[in-house]
Amino acid sequence: MAEQGGRRNLDKLVKDGLSALVFGVGYKVGIIEHFIKIKQPCTAQELAQQTGMKERYIQEWLNSMVASGIVKSHADDRFSLPYSDSELKTHGHGATVLPILSAMLPKLEAVLPNNGPRGYGYHGPFLEWWGGYHKPEDIQIWINELLLPVFDLKPSSDFKLLDLGCGYGRYTLMIAKRFPNSTVYGIDPDRKSIDEANMQLQKEALSNVNFLCVPGEQLPQEWTENFDFVILNDVLHDAYAVDGILTEVRRVLKSDGFGAAYDPPVSSYSAKLTDTDIAQLYLPLSLFSCLPMSLSGPYGEGYGVGWGYEKRREKIEKHGFRLVKVGDMDIDVVQERIVFQK
Ligand SMILES: C[S@@+](CC[C@H](N)C(=O)[O-])C[C@H]1O[C@@H](n2cnc3c(N)ncnc32)[C@H](O)[C@@H]1O
């Protein structure tokens, strides 16, 4: 990442930011979708006709993208977009976060001063954008690669699982569908999320799932020693009341059960963050969303993504859990998953 004797070229950085914004706009308004479908190389007029948009704006968008090296310019004023459909869809969607973060700026500006509010809750369009990364096929891959190895630690088909901080229940429902003999609970303190999850549950008509609107730090009393697995997927770094949540996880896990916390694989130590593109993606998102969310509420500790893998692990151990190595993965390597047992 470093250019010019160990330093970033700031001029290039700002221009690349503008290019990313224009690329994201092209994805959001449908120019890229039409570009994928049209016979390439095409003229600005052909693309304008295909999109139903004004040719002059399409020309300016195309030229911006030519200047940034994304669109290729050919003879006879023709243009092509030399990327695969899946690259364009993944990164086009990614770039649409820029205007969403810009819209969140007034909230961030309000919490920054010492005398400002502590934090703020989720911004709907940001959650929708994040949800766009969790297509059914992505969730299946997540289950195969990151959840099944945890299930292998305690093999049985009729397990009880708690998805703590389930959000809209996308993962909860997929797990329940994949393991019809299991009993799956999803809880979240956010009423809108649980309403969405229940609506989806009605559509899918699964009988082995229950959603409850309760905070993770106040689980039902009758759940003591109840679950074979408790998963916290993208929850701990976002949540307020992390100590309360881990205390409750310890109570509701069976003595031979397993907990698994999944968070962005970012180190707790600044010196380990240079040139790591995962940190470059997640830390800005945390500044705008995870950190203020984890500072909202009366006892938010303010962890965010920057809390990092090593310190999250220490926190889990402080709650009396033993860390469990899964497969060949060394637990000292910064990673997304932390598996633990009472
Ligand atoms: C980034 S979302 C992840 C949602 C879901 N697990 C997924 O991966 O789609 C984090 C979730 O944690 C929930 N959360 C925050 N604080 C919580 C708490 N104290 N107890 C339980 N859930 C909490 C939020 O409401 C939100 O739905």
Side-chain angles (χ1 to χ4, degrees):
M1 213 184 295
E3 302 143 6
Q4 292 179 336
R7 302 186 322 157
R8 291 292 308 268
N9 178 332
L10 295 182
D11 181 53
K12 184 171 182 314
L13 177 88
V14 173
K15 287 172 182 156
D16 282 347
L18 287 169
S19 302
L21 178 65
V22 174
F23 177 64
V25 167
Y27 181 79
K28 185 168 168 36
V29 302
I31 299 173
I32 288 180
E33 195 188 327
H34 287 290
F35 213 155
I36 289 171
K37 288 183 193 150
I38 204 168
K39 187 173 179 317
Q40 298 179 26
C42 64
T43 63
Q45 190 187 29
E46 286 163 353
L47 189 58
Q49 269 167 5
Q50 173 101 4
T51 55
M53 295 177 195
K54 295 184 182 73
E55 185 183 332
R56 185 64 194 90
Y57 282 96
I58 292 293
Q59 182 78 57
E60 209 78 341
W61 184 85
L62 283 167
N63 283 342
S64 297
M65 293 288 88
V66 169
S68 66
I70 295 169
V71 165
K72 202 165 165 223
S73 154
H74 299 258
D76 307 331
D77 285 336
R78 290 185 172 270
F79 302 91
S80 65
L81 194 49
Y83 297 91
S84 69
D85 293 8
S86 80
E87 279 175 303
L88 290 168
K89 285 180 183 159
T90 303
H91 300 298
H93 175 74
T96 60
V97 79
L98 296 171
I100 296 172
L101 296 183
S102 302
M104 294 167 76
L105 192 55
K107 286 191 195 177
L108 182 62
E109 280 176 325
V111 295
L112 284 173
N114 283 330
N115 59 357
R118 286 166 54 80
Y120 50 84
Y122 287 121
H123 179 67
F126 179 80
L127 279 192
E128 273 164 39
W129 172 82
W130 182 245
Y133 271 130
H134 299 236
K135 301 201 174 64
E137 56 274 26
D138 301 324
I139 300 180
Q140 290 297 0
I141 293 171
W142 183 89
I143 291 178
N144 291 343
E145 294 182 358
L146 289 170
L147 190 58
L148 291 189
V150 180
F151 288 171
D152 287 344
L153 297 169
K154 190 174 189 294
S156 100
S157 64
D158 57 354
F159 56 80
K160 265 190 165 179
L161 178 142
L162 171 62
D163 184 3
L164 192 154
C166 64
Y168 292 179
R170 292 190 184 99
Y171 287 74
T172 332
L173 291 165
M174 202 73 95
I175 296 166
K177 210 185 297 180
R178 183 106 173 241
F179 299 93
N181 295 330
S182 66
T183 307
V184 179
Y185 284 82
I187 71 102
D188 202 287
D190 182 54
R191 170 48 60 196
K192 182 171 178 291
S193 297
I194 291 297
D195 288 347
E196 289 271 345
N198 272 322
M199 261 164 29
Q200 199 54 37
L201 172 59
Q202 272 182 358
K203 279 190 207 154
E204 305 209 9
L206 294 168
S207 58
N208 59 334
V209 193
N210 296 280
F211 288 111
L212 261 76
C213 187
V214 290
E217 65 277 17
Q218 283 168 27
L219 298 176
Q221 274 313 310
E222 62 276 18
W223 280 4
T224 302
E225 296 263 339
N226 194 40
F227 291 98
D228 300 290
F229 301 103
V230 177
I231 61 168
L232 303 111
N233 186 18
D234 260 330
V235 174
L236 284 183
H237 71 276
D238 253 17
Y240 52 88
V242 166
D243 285 309
I245 290 174
L246 289 172
T247 303
E248 283 294 75
V249 171
R250 200 173 150 72
R251 178 174 71 81
V252 303
L253 255 188
K254 289 182 182 170
S255 50
D256 61 348
F258 290 89
Y262 302 85
D263 294 274
V266 168
S267 172
S268 307
Y269 301 107
S270 310
K272 291 192 186 172
L273 297 178
T274 46
D275 284 347
T276 56
D277 58 355
I278 290 184
Q280 195 190 358
L281 169 68
Y282 282 109
L283 287 166
L285 303 182
S286 176
L287 178 66
F288 279 86
S289 181
C290 315
L291 180 60
M293 176 64 194
S294 65
L295 272 167
S296 65
Y299 32 76
E301 293 93 341
Y303 289 123
V305 171
W307 184 24
Y309 174 77
E310 298 90 336
K311 291 187 181 167
R312 198 162 43 250
R313 232 177 60 174
E314 279 169 25
K315 170 69 91 183
I316 291 171
E317 284 179 303
K318 271 194 193 133
H319 277 265
F321 292 108
R322 183 175 64 80
L323 302 187
V324 178
K325 185 177 173 204
V326 180
D328 295 335
M329 194 71 166
D330 182 344
I331 56 173
D332 286 331
V333 174
V334 173
Q335 57 198 282
E336 187 176 344
R337 179 181 60 199
I338 301 177
V339 180
F340 51 93
Q341 202 173 22
K342 292 210 242 189

